[in-house]
Amino acid sequence: MTTKIKSKVTLSLICFFLCMINIINAQEHKIVTLPGPEVEGIPETTDYPNNDYEKLLAYSLYFYEAQRSGILSATNRIPWRHNSAPFDGQKEGVDLTGGYYDAGDYMKFTYPLSWTLTSISWGGLEWFEGYELSGQTQYLHDMVKWGTDWLIKAYSLETNDLYVQVGREDVDHNYWGGDLNIPLPRDAYKVGEKNHGTDVASSVVAAFASASILFREKFSDSTYSDDLLLRAKALYVFAETKAWKLYGASSPQVNSLYPSSNYQDKLVWAALWLYKATGEEIYFNKAINFYTQFFIPDSIIAINWSDQTCAIYFLLVQITKGNELSYKLQAEKYLDYMLNPSLVPKSPCSYTPGGLLWCDGISDTNSLNVPLNIAFVSLLYAPYATTTEKRSKYMEFAQSQIKYVLGENPMKMTYVVGINPKSPKNPHHAGAHGSTTNNMLLPIETTNILYGAVVGGPSKKDLYIDDRTKYNSTEVALDYNAPWQGLMAYQVIYYKTNIPEKSRPEDGDDNDNDNEQNDDEHNENKDGKSKIAESNVKSGGMITSRIGGIIGIAIGSLILVLLGASLIWKRSMIVAWFKRDRKKRDIEFNIENNVTSRPSSFISHISRPNSVVVPISSVVVPISRSNSVAVPNSRPNSAISGSNSRPNSGAGVENYLSFFNNF
């Protein structure tokens, strides 16, 4: 009988521990665990519906607000961002104040900004409901307009001058401090009638045109939309005028920072966005002519600020509403090659051990950008896939990359600043760091949390060192967050509108009204959402994991109830068993007390506060470096990029491009 009782007690303990594991697992996929900034516009944390993605979307918009330059609006939410760079363009006789600082420093660039605005406008058009459900529509409006307002300043309708860079590399990259003491001079560089820049001009056209659609269709601002469209048309006339030229040939100052690899894709890209904005066939015909002339079909190149060749496939599918099979097959060929690199002989792409898509030569810096951009177009295209199997695979890939960023990786890192205890603490960002000594190492801890910023990312071996001096992995930039923001808007839609009806809160009926519009476009979007739901269920999204955790808690609780009942039922036997060796256990208890009575000095020893305040990342600083050495003096020419250029620009990735050009 005693043996049976012991067995039951042992079994009960095992059940208890299993229950605790279930409880822990139920919290495994909780994304946002730290309180956000106490400012207007950040959704409050709730358990239901899952609002983690609402907060992530809001945080991304908060990050862009932290990148603002110029005279800030009265609604500025960033306490450490001030009115700054008030004289930009003064030397050149133009007003270039405002806009966005590109990355962790104080330079401004037209080329990557244009791609950022186009990408965010594209995502806003596709998943605007995600912004509505999160209460972020006004912040999206302000974020895009802050950028397009600056592009309007940078481009002259009268002269066709287009300013492409503000700030000097040699000056800016030798300063590491706040925005109140940005050093001068801040020269501005341009392209124009006598110094062409086909690529950058076309990129700005796409930004103007895509934003024009957003402001007309989603914000009912036809006046501003028309102004953007007017400028887009005029600038495209300049862009397509021969002789075509890379803007780096006209403004060589950009070549060490944001060099361009081609202009052919930009001419097609800009014409397609103009057609989408105007419906005028002339632009579609121009796009298709260039598309054929430049042999753009069958290209397999990563999508980013420097190259939109393969983004064209997905825009063509959308413009033709999926009715042109050749465009769909081209889009699927691209996705199938990129998502299955092991099936492509000598492919420069592969997956890291943790599951992140990696392309040699282009992922060495900002490794998260390539997979996030491909995840973005995967979600855009999935509703048009030729088979349900392909649709599911594209959706599963996107979810896998999102989950990787949010912590499902070997280091359990969350690569978005400020949302999780394992988020990066030391992004490469001068304003957030808060140094007052022009020293990247002091203070040791970052002063201001750069909520929502996506960092460059881990290495090919899934390793990440949270050290702001390692800008290849810790820097942030406008284009890093662009695909991420669209992905978060998509996630909000799924987790808000595809939960079972019986699980909806009683006051959640307001959202149903948005789903009753009868226009063809909205019906098409609803079809896409149903496919999103189907694919997410198959891919096992985070909400599925959370439901599984809840079920685990329920089962564990039931086990505890049964265990309690059995203990009460057999309590007399259990009491007898415990009394049997009471004397022996009392002796053991006394012995144990004598052994474990630690002196107070031991407690003092293990609680030394000075031994825990220094972050782990501080150990990377070489001991031999003198404190008098200012880190900025040792920064390479481009703290934005890593060496002298950002690898995803096409510079230094000849092997990558040459391989894919053979297809």
Side-chain angles (χ1 to χ4, degrees):
M1 181 64 69
T2 302
T3 303
K4 289 183 178 181
I5 294 176
K6 289 182 177 180
S7 298
K8 288 182 178 180
V9 172
T10 303
L11 180 61
S12 300
L13 291 173
I14 293 174
C15 291
F16 174 76
F17 285 117
L18 288 175
C19 178
M20 294 304 297
I21 291 172
N22 278 328
I23 293 173
I24 293 170
N25 286 338
Q27 301 300 318
E28 181 180 0
H29 294 297
K30 180 67 177 174
I31 303 167
V32 181
T33 58
L34 291 179
E38 294 182 1
V39 297
E40 183 179 355
I42 304 297
E44 295 182 0
T45 300
T46 61
D47 292 330
Y48 181 84
N50 184 333
N51 76 327
D52 291 337
Y53 294 110
E54 292 181 4
K55 296 185 73 172
L56 287 165
L57 180 60
Y59 286 158
S60 181
L61 288 161
Y62 185 90
F63 159 71
Y64 281 112
E65 197 167 326
Q67 293 299 105
R68 288 183 181 180
S69 174
I71 306 302
L72 304 180
S73 67
T75 59
N76 171 51
R77 298 181 294 171
I78 316 299
W80 47 270
R81 177 61 75 208
H82 311 91
N83 295 335
S84 59
F87 305 113
D88 284 356
Q90 188 177 76
K91 177 181 176 182
E92 291 75 19
V94 293
D95 179 10
L96 295 176
T97 59
Y100 289 101
Y101 296 123
D102 172 68
D105 52 15
Y106 297 104
M107 299 185 73
K108 297 188 287 193
F109 300 94
T110 299
Y111 201 28
L113 172 63
S114 298
W115 160 250
T116 298
L117 294 174
T118 305
S119 178
I120 289 179
S121 295
W122 198 2
L125 289 167
E126 188 71 12
W127 302 306
F128 189 72
E129 188 178 3
Y131 291 92
E132 291 178 317
L133 292 168
S134 305
Q136 299 300 307
T137 55
Q138 187 61 47
Y139 296 105
L140 171 65
H141 172 282
D142 296 347
M143 180 266 149
V144 175
K145 193 172 186 296
W146 193 270
T148 51
D149 280 351
W150 187 81
L151 289 180
I152 289 173
K153 292 181 178 181
Y155 169 59
S156 170
L157 278 169
E158 292 75 23
T159 65
N160 276 329
D161 285 345
L162 175 63
Y163 282 88
V164 298
Q165 176 180 320
V166 176
R168 282 174 45 174
E169 180 183 4
D170 60 331
V171 175
D172 188 271
H173 288 178
N174 279 296
Y175 172 70
W176 189 262
D179 58 10
L180 293 177
N181 299 297
I182 299 173
L184 299 175
R186 288 178 59 80
D187 296 345
Y189 307 95
K190 67 180 180 178
V191 297
E193 295 286 359
K194 296 182 180 180
N195 50 341
H196 210 294
T198 309
D199 43 5
V200 69
S202 298
S203 188
V204 174
V205 169
F208 279 149
S210 59
S212 171
I213 304 171
L214 183 69
F215 282 101
R216 183 191 308 114
E217 294 186 359
K218 303 303 181 182
F219 299 118
S220 301
D221 190 345
S222 58
T223 301
Y224 191 65
S225 173
D226 290 344
D227 185 37
L228 292 174
L229 199 53
L230 172 68
R231 297 172 189 278
K233 289 181 175 181
L235 186 54
Y236 192 72
V237 173
F238 167 70
E240 66 175 343
T241 301
K242 296 182 179 179
W244 297 323
K245 185 189 295 185
L246 296 177
Y247 85 123
S250 300
S251 293
Q253 295 82 3
V254 305
N255 287 329
S256 61
L257 299 168
Y258 282 97
S260 176
S261 55
N262 64 74
Y263 54 75
Q264 292 88 339
D265 62 317
K266 313 300 185 303
L267 286 169
V268 180
W269 181 246
L272 285 176
W273 276 109
L274 274 173
Y275 172 70
K276 189 173 175 65
T278 65
E280 297 176 15
E281 291 291 334
I282 185 174
Y283 293 115
F284 186 77
N285 293 335
K286 286 176 181 290
I288 298 306
N289 288 337
F290 285 139
Y291 182 78
T292 304
Q293 176 183 347
F294 298 140
F295 303 102
I296 285 179
D298 299 320
S299 297
I300 307 292
I301 302 173
I303 299 170
N304 55 31
W305 62 267
S306 176
D307 202 303
Q308 288 89 61
T309 299
C310 299
I312 290 170
Y313 307 149
F314 304 96
L315 187 55
L316 275 170
V317 170
Q318 284 195 326
I319 286 175
T320 58
K321 298 182 179 180
N323 294 324
E324 180 56 56
L325 182 60
S326 62
Y327 299 144
K328 294 173 66 174
L329 293 178
Q330 190 64 66
E332 290 187 2
K333 178 181 178 181
Y334 176 76
L335 288 178
D336 293 345
Y337 275 32
M338 296 302 290
L339 273 56
N340 303 283
S342 61
L343 303 180
V344 182
K346 299 182 180 179
S347 172
C349 300
S350 60
Y351 286 93
T352 66
L356 182 70
L357 181 64
W358 179 283
C359 294
D360 290 335
I362 200 168
S363 295
D364 298 331
T365 299
N366 53 81
S367 59
L368 295 177
N369 195 241
V370 171
L372 290 181
N373 277 320
I374 297 176
F376 180 88
V377 295
S378 294
L379 294 182
L380 284 173
Y381 178 75
Y384 302 97
T386 55
T387 68
T388 55
E389 181 184 5
K390 283 182 177 290
R391 183 174 70 235
S392 296
K393 286 183 177 179
Y394 302 152
M395 305 295 289
E396 289 166 5
F397 166 78
Q399 292 297 327
S400 71
Q401 303 305 288
I402 292 171
K403 291 178 182 179
Y404 185 100
V405 174
L406 292 175
E408 290 193 18
N409 55 70
M411 292 194 68
K412 306 300 180 184
M413 284 287 297
T414 301
Y415 293 109
V416 182
V417 177
I419 69 163
N420 189 283
K422 291 193 175 181
S423 290
K425 304 293 192 302
N426 299 294
H428 182 91
H429 191 280
H433 179 214
S435 175
T436 58
T437 60
N438 200 34
N439 191 329
M440 203 179 297
L441 301 179
L442 297 174
I444 294 174
E445 298 286 352
T446 297
T447 304
N448 307 301
I449 301 176
L450 192 62
Y451 291 100
V454 177
V455 296
S459 71
K460 193 174 183 178
K461 295 183 178 180
D462 299 299
L463 299 177
Y464 181 85
I465 300 177
D466 191 16
D467 180 350
R468 74 179 61 87
T469 66
K470 298 184 180 299
Y471 42 80
N472 278 354
S473 56
T474 63
E475 186 152 35
V476 301
L478 299 178
D479 61 298
Y480 294 5
N481 267 68
W484 179 252
Q485 186 162 303
L487 292 171
M488 293 303 98
Y490 164 86
Q491 295 290 85
V492 169
I493 294 173
Y494 172 71
Y495 287 111
K496 277 286 195 177
T497 63
N498 292 289
I499 55 177
E501 284 292 332
K502 63 181 180 180
S503 301
R504 292 180 185 273
E506 294 180 0
D507 60 349
D509 295 332
D510 293 341
N511 293 334
D512 295 339
N513 296 330
D514 295 332
N515 298 326
E516 296 176 356
Q517 299 180 20
N518 294 320
D519 58 277
D520 293 339
E521 181 180 355
H522 191 74
N523 288 336
E524 191 174 308
N525 287 339
K526 285 184 69 178
D527 291 340
K529 288 175 194 172
S530 66
K531 294 173 183 177
I532 286 172
E534 176 185 345
S535 302
N536 272 283
V537 170
K538 290 182 179 179
S539 62
M542 289 186 180
I543 198 164
T544 304
S545 298
R546 185 163 293 183
I547 291 172
I550 294 172
I551 293 173
I553 291 176
I555 294 173
S557 300
L558 179 60
I559 292 173
L560 285 177
V561 171
L562 294 175
L563 173 62
S566 64
L567 289 176
I568 293 172
W569 182 44
K570 297 290 186 178
R571 61 185 181 277
S572 60
M573 295 182 181
I574 295 172
V575 169
W577 178 69
F578 275 103
K579 286 182 176 180
R580 188 168 60 90
D581 294 323
R582 180 172 182 178
K583 183 176 181 180
K584 178 181 179 181
R585 286 187 286 105
D586 285 344
I587 295 172
E588 290 176 349
F589 176 79
N590 292 332
I591 294 173
E592 184 179 358
N593 264 345
N594 291 333
V595 171
T596 56
S597 298
R598 304 275 184 175
S600 58
S601 60
F602 175 78
I603 304 299
S604 301
H605 172 71
I606 64 172
S607 60
R608 289 173 57 194
N610 291 340
S611 64
V612 296
V613 295
V614 180
I616 295 175
S617 60
S618 64
V619 302
V620 301
V621 182
I623 297 176
S624 60
R625 293 188 65 174
S626 170
N627 291 335
S628 63
V629 177
V631 172
N633 292 334
S634 62
R635 294 174 77 189
N637 291 336
S638 173
I640 294 177
S641 62
S643 56
N644 289 331
S645 62
R646 295 180 64 180
N648 62 352
S649 65
V653 293
E654 290 80 3
N655 293 335
Y656 177 87
L657 296 178
S658 63
F659 166 77
F660 281 127
N661 286 335
N662 291 329
F663 284 101

